[in-house]
Amino acid sequence: MHQPPNARLPPSHGELYGPRFVVMVLCWVVSVLLTLLSLGWRVLSTVLADVARLVGEPFWTDTAAHVSDAIGVVSLVSCPVLLTVALVLLASQDLVEPQLLPPWTTRERLRIARVLAVNAVLSNDPWANLLARSYAGRVSSWSSALPRSLMAISLACSGLMVVGGVFLLLRAVRSGDPNDMAIGLNTALLFAGFAVLPLALAPRRRRMREFCALYDAARQRAAR
C-alpha cells in the first residue's frame, strides 16, 4: 500500500458535502421556523379570541385571524416545497460526521469512495477502498443497529401522524382555514417522508453492507 494522502483537520459538513448540504439545512430550518410560527400564532390567536370575548373588544380576534391566515398561506405555499427538497437531499447524501472519517477525507475523495460503496466494487486505489469501507461501515451500521421491532413502531407512528395530518387538512379545507391547512399538509408530508425514507434507502444500505463484506474478504486474502 502506497503512502496515505496528506492528513488534515477534519473538514466541516459544508466542505465535505458541498452546497447540497447547505441547501438541505436551510430548507429544514426555514420549514421548521414557519411551522412553529404557524402553531404559535394559532395558539396566540385562540388566547386572544378568548380574552376579546371577556373584555368585549372583538377587533383583537379579527386582527389575530388575519395574521394567522397570512402566515398559513405563506406556510401552505412554501413549506411543502421546502420539505420535499430537504427530504430528497437527505435521502441522496448519506451523511456521516466528518470526525468519523479518515482525516485526509475530501469532498472529491468521498465522492469516489461513495461510488465504490454504492456499487459494491473495489478500485485499484487502496486508500479509496479504505475510505469507502469506513464510510459504508458507518452508514450501514445505523440501519443494522435498529431492531426490526423499533422500525415497525416508527413506521406505525409515522402512519398515525400522516392520518392525523390528512384529517386536519380535510377539516381545514371545509372550514377554509389556511393555517390549519398548512399544519395538516406539512405534518402529513413530513411523516410520510420519514416513513418512506428507510424503505427507499434499504437497497443502498444493502449494497454498502455487501461492499464491507467484499473489502473485508479481500483484506483477509491479502493477509494470508
Side-chain angles (χ1 to χ4, degrees):
M1 190 179 277
H2 56 73
Q3 293 297 316
N6 294 329
R8 58 193 295 271
L9 293 175
S12 65
H13 286 81
E15 292 173 338
L16 195 59
Y17 297 106
R20 290 192 302 171
F21 175 80
V22 178
V23 171
M24 183 191 70
V25 171
L26 287 176
C27 288
W28 280 120
V29 170
V30 174
S31 60
V32 168
L33 288 178
L34 284 174
T35 302
L36 291 177
L37 184 60
S38 298
L39 290 170
W41 198 265
R42 162 56 67 195
V43 174
L44 181 60
S45 62
T46 302
V47 173
L48 289 177
D50 293 338
V51 173
R53 283 193 293 270
L54 292 175
V55 301
E57 296 186 17
F59 72 91
W60 289 359
T61 305
D62 295 336
T63 302
H66 290 324
V67 175
S68 178
D69 289 346
I71 294 174
V73 170
V74 173
S75 181
L76 184 62
V77 172
S78 59
C79 276
V81 177
L82 293 171
L83 287 174
T84 301
V85 172
L87 287 168
V88 170
L89 291 176
L90 179 64
S92 67
Q93 295 190 77
D94 288 319
L95 300 175
V96 175
E97 283 289 333
Q99 292 79 6
L100 300 178
L101 297 172
W104 37 265
T105 303
T106 63
R107 190 192 310 174
E108 180 62 23
R109 290 168 182 158
L110 183 60
R111 184 188 66 81
I112 297 172
R114 187 173 184 276
V115 171
L116 296 175
V118 169
N119 292 282
V121 295
L122 296 172
S123 72
N124 295 325
D125 184 353
W127 295 106
N129 294 335
L130 177 61
L131 176 57
R133 174 63 178 86
S134 177
Y135 174 75
R138 293 293 180 181
V139 172
S140 59
S141 65
W142 298 334
S143 57
S144 59
L146 294 176
R148 292 185 179 274
S149 58
L150 185 59
M151 292 279 293
I153 293 173
S154 176
L155 287 174
C157 291
S158 296
L160 290 176
M161 293 300 295
V162 170
V163 172
V166 171
F167 175 77
L168 179 59
L169 174 61
L170 295 177
R171 190 179 67 177
V173 169
R174 287 195 296 268
S175 64
D177 188 336
N179 202 340
D180 282 353
M181 289 183 202
I183 295 173
L185 177 60
N186 296 333
T187 300
L189 180 61
L190 178 63
F191 284 94
F194 285 160
V196 171
L197 199 60
L199 303 177
L201 295 179
R204 191 190 306 164
R205 299 286 191 268
R206 184 179 64 254
R207 289 194 297 271
M208 287 189 176
R209 288 192 293 270
E210 292 172 357
F211 175 84
C212 293
L214 179 66
Y215 179 88
D216 295 342
R219 291 282 294 172
Q220 290 176 1
R221 288 195 300 269
R224 291 174 184 171

